[in-house]
Amino acid sequence: MLRGPAAVWAALGPLLWACGLALRGGMLYPRESPSRELKELNGLWSFRADFSENRRQGFEQQWYRTPLRESGPTLDMPVPSSFNDVGQDRQLRSFVGWVWYEREATLPQRWTQDLGTRVVLRIGSAHYYAIVWVNGVHVAEHEGGHLPFEADISKLVQSGPLASCRITVAINNTLTPHTLPPGTILHQTDTSKYPKGYFVQNINFDFFNYAGLHRPVLLYTTPATYIDDITVSTSVDQDTGLVDYQIFVEGGEHFQLEVRLLDEEGKAVARGTGGRGQLQVPNAHLWWPYLMHEHPAYLYSLEVRLTAQTAAGSVSDFYTLPVGIRTVAVTEHQFLINGKPFYFHGVNKHEDADIRGKGFDWPLLVKDFNLLRWLGANAFRTSHYPYAEEVMQLCDRYGIVVIDESPGVGIVLVESYSNVSLQHHLEVMEELVRRDKNHPAVVMWSVANEPASFLKPAGYYFKTLIAHTKALDPSRPVTFVTNSNYEADLGAPYVDVICVNSYYSWYHDYGHMEVIQLQLTTQFENWYRTYQKPIIQSEYGADTIAGFHQDPPLMFSEEYQKGLLEQYHLVLDQKRKEYVVGELIWNFADFMTNQSPQRVMGNKKGIFTRQRQPKGAAFLLRERYWKLANETRYPWSAVKSQCLENSPFTL
Ligand code: GCB
């Protein structure tokens, strides 16, 4: 039986959706098609950090007006990348304030001369606050470092004889109590200890606040009347897959829409017309998670064709969206995918690597997915912010289930619960849902990680935030990840699944692995008794320096990490028979943090090093995850096709 709120949303969802309350306004991932062209602007950009005392010299001198090299010296800066670790300058590594990026782009002639072409500049991620100019004209501003934004620059590039355009992006990484994540700036005024004007950025989260143009920057085109957004929502009626679609068009009023759903062989299995409808797919191939089915991650393609009547005649726009048909539901003690119990056995990640920091990198991404599949992981959480869209696409393609988390990490100050903060958080959820709503891999939204959810305003804050997220997307459960006391947690009544982090015998009872079983059992029983909701152990782990060995185990040795994990697993194996529906190790790989006496060149709780080499715990988890996969796969037929060479998967 579906639980109370889940049942309400399951019933209400399609209704809200059909009534057109679904999210409007598009940020479709830019894809080439017969009507759309792309031009990537990755590579070397000119760069300057504004080291002036008030950090505002760039605005005072209007650095965006003329080429950046004319207003002072510049550095070469790779995009995408964080700027922090590519240089040899200690001050730039920890710089707080405005940095300036600039790049000249040459445009195909048609883009600048054909007035029926719409030219859009899209920035995958600029952390944290960004202002964008094209040829010195302000075109966009965006708050938040983990979600894309774009600007229609057609008028600018089509107004003169220029075949190129100069793109300037000013980015500020300062965090305040109202940003997501929040932070504070501490000004040190004691001149006997600190130089004049000295300040530092303080944060309440455990990863380095890398900054810069972190994801691809590109230009793309559409016709002037274009497909602005598509929303799909899927369900299943016996063997028939149902794909509800809604298409939003901008730039014109006279048009027709045709849709075709193609299977993996390219055969059309359903067709429709108009901006809204339902496609029925008899004997549908469902989208199943990795290791749960012999053909996981089945993706159809929704081909959308828009034909618009304009003064210049008839024009077409084409967009193809991958679609996975699957359902998600939550009961009192289960998480169901396609009506079958799903057990999350996976990891928490970070976007983090040597030199590039949080910069998007294909080799790193493919390596990470190969490691996930080697490990037998079927899920991860995007701790603690939305990851690149390309990551989500690979999850769809490989069947890796995602808990999609907002950048709501480190919300611990009362000020960060103000209306200003809440309003911004609501907007971020809108941007996130708009971007990721069509990914079958995304099965749950996480609105925050370890907020001070015991503070008085947290009740209203999470009630509002979670209700808003459900209204945006009634098809998925919503959670936030807690480390509060079960009795004091004011947000827990509103979540669909309890996600709880704990570090027994690490942050307390140091070295005493013998207390883990008792404390973890108590944790699960308290939460379940109080809320009767399924529980995910959303973090657990131990810092481990690769190559440190000690037996009997001592903290920081590889033996201690393995020993601690084994103690957790004993309890998880009991409770997963009852209401625990998942376990996510902290962390997939070692990652960079702020400097502190508690961190040895970053957080070392990875089961892989930062360079993606396994510690002993990776082999232990691998054995466990493949064993779990063996026990929980559906149907009980061979899943041989998924086996990597030498996998411990038994048949
Ligand atoms: C946590 C946080 C995570 C930290 C981790 C740790 O609870 O959610 O961001 O990195 O603990 O290692 O302390």
Side-chain angles (χ1 to χ4, degrees):
M1 266 300 282
L2 288 184
R3 270 199 29 253
V8 173
W9 284 110
L12 221 57
L15 193 69
L16 288 176
W17 197 81
C19 294
L21 295 179
L23 204 56
R24 289 194 68 109
M27 280 296 294
L28 284 176
Y29 184 76
R31 294 176 196 280
E32 281 175 314
S33 81
S35 59
R36 293 171 175 235
E37 290 162 272
L38 285 185
K39 186 176 171 60
E40 289 210 348
L41 299 178
N42 301 335
L44 287 187
W45 288 52
S46 297
F47 175 91
R48 183 185 309 138
D50 184 345
F51 279 102
S52 65
E53 209 174 303
N54 67 1
R55 301 289 199 255
R56 295 199 57 81
Q57 195 175 59
F59 294 97
E60 287 156 9
Q61 298 181 352
Q62 302 185 323
W63 289 353
Y64 49 87
R65 285 249 164 163
T66 52
L68 202 53
R69 62 176 182 278
E70 291 178 16
S71 52
T74 58
L75 301 174
D76 281 339
M77 188 55 71
V79 172
S81 178
S82 301
F83 64 73
N84 310 77
D85 285 350
V86 294
Q88 284 300 98
D89 179 351
R90 189 161 51 90
Q91 278 185 308
L92 182 58
R93 184 176 189 278
S94 53
F95 180 81
V96 179
W98 289 98
V99 297
W100 293 71
Y101 283 78
E102 183 201 76
R103 149 108 201 220
E104 197 79 37
T106 308
L107 305 179
Q109 209 172 41
R110 202 183 61 74
W111 293 21
T112 56
Q113 292 184 355
D114 175 3
L115 300 187
T117 292
R118 191 172 148 263
V119 183
V120 183
L121 170 64
R122 189 182 208 263
I123 297 185
S125 151
H127 187 72
Y128 174 81
Y129 195 92
I131 308 180
V132 186
W133 296 263
V134 171
N135 294 336
V137 178
H138 176 282
V139 295
E141 257 177 68
H142 185 257
E143 177 173 358
H146 309 94
L147 290 163
F149 60 99
E150 55 183 40
D152 180 341
I153 60 166
S154 323
K155 286 214 171 65
L156 273 169
V157 297
Q158 289 165 353
S159 61
L162 291 177
S164 71
C165 64
R166 188 169 45 83
I167 300 165
T168 314
V169 187
I171 303 179
N172 194 331
N173 59 354
T174 307
L175 301 178
T176 75
H178 305 306
T179 57
L180 276 188
T184 46
I185 295 287
L186 179 67
H187 293 272
Q188 298 285 10
T189 49
D190 181 346
T191 50
S192 71
K193 289 189 183 158
Y194 301 97
K196 193 170 153 279
Y198 191 85
F199 67 90
V200 286
Q201 169 84 74
N202 284 339
I203 50 178
N204 281 307
F205 52 87
D206 185 34
F207 54 91
F208 190 74
N209 189 33
Y210 280 113
L213 286 172
H214 281 157
R215 296 181 190 153
V217 178
L218 51 88
L219 293 167
Y220 71 91
T221 63
T222 71
T225 306
Y226 60 97
I227 301 160
D228 180 50
D229 200 9
I230 304 170
T231 303
V232 295
S233 147
T234 64
S235 49
V236 180
D237 182 8
Q238 302 195 11
D239 285 342
T240 303
L242 305 175
V243 179
D244 289 287
Y245 66 87
Q246 218 176 332
I247 302 162
F248 301 97
V249 173
E250 291 289 339
E253 277 164 13
H254 306 289
F255 57 82
Q256 290 85 45
L257 284 163
E258 290 162 77
V259 297
R260 291 200 310 162
L261 193 71
L262 308 183
D263 66 12
E264 283 188 351
E265 270 74 53
K267 196 172 122 240
V269 293
R271 290 167 201 272
T273 52
R276 174 184 293 173
Q278 185 179 72
L279 303 177
Q280 302 197 348
V281 189
N283 300 316
H285 298 280
L286 301 188
W287 187 95
W288 288 96
Y290 174 51
L291 298 180
M292 205 174 167
H293 191 268
E294 59 187 329
H295 191 154
Y298 193 98
L299 290 175
Y300 292 90
S301 300
L302 185 73
E303 267 187 10
V304 180
R305 180 197 182 124
L306 162 82
T307 311
Q309 289 72 48
T310 68
S314 161
V315 282
S316 297
D317 188 20
F318 303 87
Y319 191 90
T320 301
L321 180 77
V323 171
I325 302 178
R326 59 109 186 86
T327 62
V328 173
V330 172
T331 72
E332 231 173 57
H333 61 284
Q334 287 173 315
F335 196 99
L336 303 173
I337 296 185
N338 298 332
K340 305 290 168 200
F342 176 73
Y343 188 76
F344 297 76
H345 43 88
V347 305
N348 292 276
K349 287 185 95 258
H350 262 300
E351 291 189 318
D352 176 272
D354 286 332
I355 303 171
R356 50 187 86 44
K358 292 201 176 303
F360 177 79
D361 182 42
W362 276 114
L364 180 74
L365 185 61
V366 172
K367 178 72 180 174
D368 280 5
F369 274 87
N370 284 334
L371 288 176
L372 286 170
R373 295 193 296 163
W374 173 88
L375 197 63
N378 64 2
F380 66 79
R381 171 167 67 119
T382 66
S383 43
H384 294 309
Y385 37 80
Y387 292 179
E389 289 159 283
E390 293 79 358
V391 177
M392 312 308 281
Q393 289 162 7
L394 282 195
C395 288
D396 289 345
R397 282 179 47 193
Y398 293 145
I400 305 291
V401 163
V402 179
I403 300 174
D404 203 351
E405 188 157 280
S406 90
V409 55
I411 307 179
V412 297
L413 303 170
V414 178
E415 283 165 276
S416 301
Y417 281 109
S418 66
N419 278 341
V420 179
S421 290
L422 177 58
Q423 191 51 43
H424 177 55
H425 207 151
L426 296 174
E427 282 159 18
V428 169
M429 287 317 299
E430 277 176 33
E431 285 183 37
L432 175 59
V433 174
R434 179 180 301 140
R435 193 194 73 162
D436 288 350
K437 64 190 171 187
N438 294 325
H439 288 289
V442 175
V443 300
M444 180 156 66
W445 306 109
S446 162
V447 296
N449 177 70
E450 294 190 357
S453 46
F454 49 86
L455 292 177
K456 208 167 161 224
Y460 173 74
Y461 190 96
F462 284 105
K463 184 179 175 189
T464 312
L465 191 56
I466 290 171
H468 185 72
T469 307
K470 288 186 179 197
L472 294 170
D473 177 14
S475 74
R476 291 176 176 92
V478 183
T479 190
F480 72 88
V481 171
T482 185
N483 67 344
S484 294
N485 181 292
Y486 70 100
E487 287 169 310
D489 196 310
L490 301 174
Y494 308 110
V495 302
D496 295 309
V497 175
I498 302 281
C499 288
V500 57
N501 297 345
S502 56
Y503 286 91
Y504 301 122
S505 99
W506 189 260
Y507 285 123
H508 41 83
D509 302 297
Y510 321 129
H512 291 287
M513 289 196 275
E514 64 278 9
V515 303
I516 294 176
Q517 285 193 52
L518 179 60
Q519 295 188 358
L520 186 60
T521 304
T522 307
Q523 166 198 281
F524 285 140
E525 289 178 356
N526 282 340
W527 280 98
Y528 193 71
R529 187 173 6 86
T530 313
Y531 297 103
Q532 285 100 51
K533 296 177 185 184
I535 304 177
I536 295 177
Q537 181 68 40
S538 40
E539 286 183 25
Y540 69 109
D543 282 87
T544 306
I545 315 282
F548 272 28
H549 290 287
Q550 195 72 38
D551 193 42
L554 295 184
M555 290 175 81
F556 295 100
S557 69
E558 297 207 19
E559 287 72 19
Y560 193 88
Q561 187 180 35
K562 284 197 283 186
L564 182 144
L565 264 49
E566 277 167 343
Q567 293 300 306
Y568 266 80
H569 296 162
L570 289 171
V571 180
L572 286 162
D573 277 338
Q574 287 167 20
K575 297 298 178 194
R576 72 187 168 84
K577 299 192 182 99
E578 301 175 35
Y579 45 76
V580 170
V581 297
E583 51 188 88
L584 304 175
I585 186 78
W586 191 263
N587 187 282
F588 172 72
D590 293 346
F591 58 91
M592 191 46 72
T593 63
N594 265 0
Q595 299 181 68
S596 96
Q598 288 182 321
R599 294 285 177 255
V600 190
M601 303 262 285
N603 187 309
K604 292 284 189 280
K605 294 195 185 70
I607 54 163
F608 296 101
T609 63
R610 202 182 192 207
Q611 296 71 36
R612 275 49 179 182
Q613 295 307 317
K615 301 178 191 174
F619 295 96
L620 181 138
L621 265 192
R622 182 181 190 225
E623 216 179 300
R624 174 169 178 79
Y625 284 179
W626 283 94
K627 194 178 108 226
L628 287 169
N630 264 330
E631 283 179 34
T632 55
R633 67 190 189 217
Y634 172 82
W636 301 97
S637 58
V639 275
K640 199 169 184 176
S641 57
Q642 299 170 65
C643 292
L644 300 177
E645 226 174 292
N646 301 326
S647 82
F649 204 91
T650 54
L651 293 168

